[in-house]
Amino acid sequence: MLQYPKLEQALKYHFGYDQFRPGQRQIIEDALQNRDLLIIMPTGGGKSLCFQLPALLKPGLTVVVSPLIALMQDQVEALRTNNISATFLNSSLNAFKVRSREEALLQGKIKLLYVAPERLLSERFLPLLDLVKEKIGISTFAIDEAHCVSEWGHDFRPEYRQMKSLRKRYPDVPTLALTATATDRVRADIIQQLGLKQPSIHIASFNRQNLYYEVRTKTKTAYAELLGIIRENQGSGIIYCLTRKKVDELTLKLQHDKISVLSYHAGLTDDERSKNQTRFIRDDVRVMVATIAFGMGINKPDVRFVIHYDLPRNLESYYQESGRAGRDDEPSRCTLFFSFSDIKTIEWSINQKTDPQEQLISKQQLRQVIDYAEGTDCRRTIQLGYFGERFPGNCGNCDNCLYPKPVQDWTIEAMKFLSCVARCKERFGMLHIIDVLRGGKNQKITQNEHDLLSTYGIGKDKTLDEWRMLGRSLLHQGLLEQTADGYSVLKLNALSWEVMKRQRTVSIAVPVAQKVTWEEGSTKAAEAEVLVQRLRSLRKQLADEQSVPPYVIFHDSTLKLMSQVQPQTLIDFGKLSGVGSHKLAQYGEKFLAEIKAYRREQGLPEQKVEYLPSYHSPSDNSPSYTELQTLQLHQQGLSVTEIARQRDIRTTTVIRHLSDLIQKNQQVDFNLLVPPEKQQKIWQVLETLGDISLTPIKEYLGDNYSYDEIRLVRGKWRRENRK
């Protein structure tokens, strides 16, 4: 057998890589010792190599069990391009091709055979496998997508259950079970169902650091937001929907909006699905709208965004589907749109299941997805915690970490909650505990005499949603546990008792309800988004001038950092993640000027910019290219609405351009924009209140004056007061 120090040489020779990814070398060493293995490695982590390289170094045939035709063909094609003798047997082949491939197996010309579980265990195929073992030898059974063996997994397939018969038929052949996602329960189920003997278990970290996770509420503007994400993110994308009908509707709308898009679902013919998938993989189309039938095992590394337009059924499938983004380790985006109507759709689907246990499992999985969608903790903490991996939070690459909600000390409330779990003897779920805390009067409480507990009614001051938010956060932070048997019973752990003994404080992120009128829209988050949009517009302008994709200039995450930090000096700008020395020199002044203009409009204080010696201060009085385009159309007599429509930008952006142009002493016909009598009144208020933000000015003037009118007059007032 090949000596282990030469493994890197074999890797280079067969696959062209110079070094192994984390964990791969140890797995391959164990495989070469003919051990059973359970390998849990996230999508894009390099699972396939863990059985492919040993297959080339050991005598005999490696049989790879794979559930999807697309997966087989994709991997076999990749192996053949590396001059590795691999083939597959599936229903896509005619009888002649099947016979010729079977002959090649018996002649020892094949090192890796990919086959579906149904064919592998068929009466016709098993005798052939016996012959192969006798003449050539079978080195390994590699069971890919092994979570399919467990009813607790997200993609249970009954035929996988029969795989245990392989162990009985070939007791000396080692088995490798591989999957991208598996909870503790699923792992135990895989070992038991496949009959693995004292397997070596390898679990890689589930943390995909390059993926940005966000959850958005699905409102009436959801389609416009979806379109925005597609247009902002260069590269390929996948959009998942719950139903075929939704897939077809969305595909049609996107095609109407000139997006290069195709669909994929079980309602299409095999030929249509295959062609659409190939066109997506080869970049003939940019976006695929699909049901969950699409994507399993697709080795497309440059998927830049995955959007779940509907709620996924469980966290495992969400992790795996969203994980198809950024397999090349480049920054990619995972967006989930959340609405309560989706919950009803999934609940209806669950109620169609005939097995009560399956219904129970599916309902618990749905609750976990809702907890994730409504969670205020770091998205990674919630995701990784689901797979038993502790993550401290503050990942810096999810919506909850980049745009955190205010953190409050809820230690007293946590003590009440955990005490109630203890007094209910750790036998009930979250809703019952909350009912007891809030003094509920239902039959379950009275039957169990929980209305006699000291914790009964001590939480009336908090709403159901507030207690639920705390309960979720305790679970996500590891301060409380939950059974995974479908019943979701709350259990205390060592950390729970630390909280109850006042040895540990509990802080949770709490959404703050703010009353904001539709016209104003001036919450901090909305204003931050306005700045991000302005920075995106500038990035697009620069990208168009250079004929490059916008992300080549700065990634979205860097723009969001700019909007958060709002740096005022080139030194501070250069400290932002994603800003190197070259980009600082090339774009620093332009982006700083945009941030300064935004701060000026919002009435925020400005610091003197400390320019580095090699830089020159941008001229505040010279209009930008985009402002000049707006000015040209204004001088042609077009209204604000007409300019916005012609330039495909928002009316608020046009107003900002005109306000800036007024300050820069450009020829703007002011009387066309604001009636003279209103100009006079706004001017008087500015003279009284001074250069402050728009909101108090608007409150002073009342509903007859719009923010746009105030912004424009303030631009002129600033220009006059600067003289």
Side-chain angles (χ1 to χ4, degrees):
M1 188 181 289
L2 192 82
Q3 292 303 303
Y4 295 149
K6 294 181 182 175
L7 282 179
E8 274 78 10
Q9 293 174 25
L11 178 69
K12 182 67 177 171
Y13 176 78
H14 290 293
F15 295 96
Y17 302 131
D18 292 315
Q19 58 187 30
F20 291 104
R21 290 189 183 190
Q24 283 181 329
R25 198 180 203 282
Q26 182 61 52
I27 292 168
I28 291 165
E29 287 180 6
D30 286 353
L32 290 172
Q33 290 180 3
N34 292 324
R35 295 191 62 175
D36 282 356
L37 283 101
L38 173 58
I39 301 159
I40 318 289
M41 192 175 276
T43 303
K47 288 192 305 297
S48 302
L49 191 83
C50 295
F51 62 79
Q52 289 172 349
L53 188 57
L56 302 176
L57 303 177
K58 292 170 68 176
L61 174 73
T62 291
V63 179
V64 184
V65 181
S66 174
L68 284 180
I69 289 174
L71 180 83
M72 298 179 199
Q73 293 170 340
D74 200 30
Q75 292 208 1
V76 167
E77 202 172 289
L79 287 165
R80 284 178 178 166
T81 58
N82 284 320
N83 200 30
I84 293 168
S85 55
T87 193
F88 60 82
L89 289 171
N90 61 36
S91 57
S92 70
L93 304 174
N94 59 36
F96 173 76
K97 283 185 177 177
V98 170
R99 272 196 306 275
S100 63
R101 292 185 185 195
E102 288 176 351
E103 285 169 15
L105 287 172
L106 292 168
Q107 291 166 13
K109 293 179 179 176
I110 305 295
K111 291 299 292 179
L112 287 121
L113 168 68
Y114 284 73
V115 64
E118 301 91 335
R119 180 179 289 263
L120 175 68
L121 300 170
S122 67
E123 288 181 12
R124 186 187 176 283
F125 191 77
L126 283 170
L128 172 72
L129 213 53
D130 290 343
L131 269 177
V132 171
K133 187 175 189 307
E134 188 183 319
K135 293 181 70 173
I136 311 299
I138 299 174
S139 69
T140 307
F141 287 112
I143 316 296
D144 205 4
E145 310 294 344
H147 57 270
C148 295
V149 82
S150 173
E151 65 180 354
W152 294 92
H154 66 275
D155 192 27
F156 172 56
R157 299 182 181 219
E159 60 271 17
Y160 260 67
R161 289 279 203 187
Q162 300 158 29
M163 219 88 72
K164 199 170 187 176
S165 62
L166 286 176
R167 179 42 48 95
K168 292 174 184 172
R169 195 175 184 113
Y170 310 106
D172 302 327
V173 178
T175 299
L176 274 65
L178 306 102
T179 179
T181 53
T183 59
D184 288 340
R185 184 168 194 134
V186 172
R187 290 167 204 163
D189 217 8
I190 291 170
I191 292 168
Q192 195 259 322
Q193 294 296 335
L194 295 179
L196 303 184
K197 293 180 290 190
Q198 296 180 321
S200 175
I201 301 172
H202 295 266
I203 303 171
S205 172
F206 286 89
N207 186 9
R208 299 279 307 284
Q209 296 177 1
N210 61 309
L211 301 185
Y212 170 74
Y213 291 101
E214 66 171 352
V215 177
R216 299 187 181 199
T217 305
K218 195 196 287 185
T219 62
K220 290 177 182 177
T221 64
Y223 176 73
E225 291 179 49
L226 173 87
L227 203 56
I229 293 169
I230 295 170
R231 287 174 172 162
E232 286 160 19
N233 291 272
Q234 298 296 314
S236 302
I238 303 170
I239 304 168
Y240 284 107
C241 301
L242 273 174
T243 63
R244 300 177 195 177
K245 183 171 180 279
K246 184 71 75 68
V247 168
D248 289 335
E249 285 175 1
L250 200 53
T251 304
L252 197 64
K253 286 177 82 171
L254 290 170
Q255 286 170 343
H256 176 74
D257 283 314
K258 306 293 187 292
I259 301 295
S260 171
V261 59
L262 287 172
S263 60
Y264 189 105
H265 58 67
L268 303 175
T269 64
D270 289 347
D271 187 49
E272 284 174 318
R273 284 202 303 274
S274 177
K275 280 180 179 172
N276 287 1
Q277 182 169 288
T278 301
R279 288 187 67 192
F280 177 70
I281 289 168
R282 293 181 181 172
D283 286 341
D284 294 334
V285 292
R286 196 175 147 229
V287 177
M288 187 70 86
V289 184
T291 55
I292 56 169
F294 177 74
M296 201 171 174
I298 301 300
N299 290 321
K300 185 169 172 57
D302 59 347
V303 174
R304 290 279 71 88
F305 59 92
V306 172
I307 300 168
H308 281 73
Y309 199 57
D310 296 329
L311 199 65
R313 295 170 191 276
N314 54 65
L315 268 186
E316 273 182 78
S317 56
Y318 177 68
Y319 177 85
Q320 192 165 46
E321 288 153 18
S322 62
R324 287 170 191 143
R327 293 177 63 159
D328 53 5
D329 288 333
E330 288 297 309
S332 304
R333 182 177 196 147
C334 306
T335 301
L336 166 60
F337 283 93
F338 173 58
S339 82
F340 288 98
S341 62
D342 293 343
I343 297 171
K344 297 299 175 193
T345 305
I346 297 172
E347 283 176 340
W348 180 87
S349 173
I350 290 170
N351 290 332
Q352 305 313 301
K353 294 178 186 286
T354 52
D355 185 336
Q357 180 66 8
E358 277 188 41
Q359 277 196 10
L360 198 63
I361 293 165
S362 297
K363 283 176 181 175
Q364 180 173 17
Q365 289 173 334
L366 176 58
R367 277 198 298 274
Q368 288 163 337
V369 172
I370 297 166
D371 285 351
Y372 172 79
E374 294 188 332
T376 53
D377 298 293
C378 167
R379 301 282 177 206
R380 277 175 172 74
T381 298
I382 303 172
Q383 276 188 17
L384 303 183
Y386 177 78
F387 295 111
E389 183 178 340
R390 285 274 167 255
F391 186 78
N394 297 321
C395 72
N397 202 21
C398 77
D399 53 350
N400 283 347
C401 288
L402 283 178
Y403 310 107
K405 297 168 181 70
V407 173
Q408 293 179 9
D409 186 323
W410 276 47
T411 306
I412 300 298
E413 289 82 358
M415 289 168 69
K416 291 178 182 178
F417 191 100
L418 296 170
S419 297
C420 194
V421 173
R423 294 188 194 288
C424 291
K425 298 182 179 175
E426 300 175 67
R427 288 174 41 221
F428 296 87
M430 190 182 295
L431 282 178
H432 181 76
I433 299 300
I434 294 171
D435 278 346
V436 174
L437 285 166
R438 299 190 71 237
K441 295 181 171 60
N442 60 49
Q443 190 178 359
K444 196 173 177 183
I445 287 177
T446 51
Q447 273 181 351
N448 288 282
E449 297 187 342
H450 287 168
D451 51 341
L452 306 177
L453 296 175
S454 59
T455 51
Y456 180 75
I458 63 170
K460 288 179 180 176
D461 58 323
K462 298 290 181 192
T463 65
L464 168 66
D465 285 340
E466 285 174 323
W467 280 119
R468 190 185 272 147
M469 178 179 64
L470 172 63
R472 285 194 188 108
S473 195
L474 291 171
L475 287 168
H476 298 158
Q477 292 183 56
L479 306 177
L480 179 67
E481 289 174 10
Q482 195 173 44
T483 58
D485 55 1
Y487 291 97
S488 304
V489 173
L490 297 179
K491 299 285 184 183
L492 302 174
N493 59 23
L495 298 181
S496 310
W497 290 102
E498 285 183 21
V499 173
M500 285 191 278
K501 292 173 184 175
R502 293 183 178 269
Q503 294 168 354
R504 178 182 289 270
T505 59
V506 177
S507 295
I508 67 168
V510 182
V512 177
Q514 288 177 298
K515 291 183 179 178
V516 182
T517 63
W518 174 255
E519 184 184 13
E520 179 179 345
S522 62
T523 66
K524 194 171 182 181
E527 288 184 350
E529 186 57 31
V530 167
L531 179 54
V532 170
Q533 292 298 342
R534 287 183 65 161
L535 295 173
R536 281 187 183 133
S537 297
L538 173 59
R539 179 181 64 174
K540 181 73 168 72
Q541 178 195 327
L542 294 169
D544 289 347
E545 288 169 5
Q546 297 172 40
S547 299
V548 296
Y551 69 83
V552 168
I553 292 172
F554 287 122
H555 287 299
D556 271 9
S557 55
T558 305
L559 297 189
K560 284 170 182 167
L561 268 179
M562 288 180 202
S563 74
Q564 278 184 294
V565 178
Q566 295 182 20
Q568 311 231 350
T569 70
L570 282 168
I571 293 170
D572 288 339
F573 190 85
K575 291 175 185 174
L576 295 176
S577 173
V579 180
S581 57
H582 178 70
K583 288 188 177 180
L584 179 64
Q586 202 168 7
Y587 308 120
E589 291 180 349
K590 294 183 177 75
F591 279 87
L592 274 177
E594 193 71 28
I595 293 166
K596 280 180 65 183
Y598 168 80
R599 288 179 66 84
R600 195 167 57 244
E601 290 166 19
Q602 297 301 319
L604 298 169
E606 290 186 22
Q607 302 165 6
K608 189 177 179 184
V609 179
E610 300 167 15
Y611 287 97
L612 299 176
S614 56
Y615 294 84
H616 301 288
S617 174
S619 168
D620 281 342
N621 284 320
S622 57
S624 67
Y625 174 68
T626 186
E627 287 170 352
L628 286 172
Q629 286 181 300
T630 296
L631 179 62
Q632 194 174 20
L633 295 171
H634 168 74
Q635 289 174 343
Q636 290 171 14
L638 272 67
S639 69
V640 168
T641 307
E642 288 165 340
I643 295 169
R645 191 182 300 124
Q646 188 154 328
R647 293 204 55 203
D648 194 23
I649 56 177
R650 296 179 180 181
T651 53
T652 50
T653 306
V654 176
I655 293 293
R656 284 195 180 83
H657 288 172
L658 292 168
S659 175
D660 281 356
L661 288 162
I662 291 164
Q663 286 184 65
K664 292 173 182 179
N665 217 15
Q666 299 299 309
Q667 295 299 310
V668 174
D669 189 342
F670 204 69
N671 291 332
L672 279 178
L673 300 170
V674 185
E677 63 278 7
K678 284 193 172 183
Q679 289 179 38
Q680 192 176 355
K681 180 65 176 173
I682 296 167
W683 194 281
Q684 286 172 356
V685 173
L686 285 164
E687 289 288 322
T688 305
L689 298 179
D691 195 348
I692 58 173
S693 63
L694 299 176
T695 307
I697 300 172
K698 173 81 167 67
E699 286 171 357
Y700 191 95
L701 287 163
D703 293 337
N704 290 331
Y705 293 78
S706 73
Y707 279 92
D708 291 346
E709 290 168 337
I710 299 167
R711 191 184 300 279
L712 289 164
V713 175
R714 189 177 65 176
K716 188 176 180 182
W717 183 85
R718 281 173 171 169
R719 185 187 71 194
E720 296 301 316
N721 278 272
R722 201 169 53 211
K723 289 178 180 176

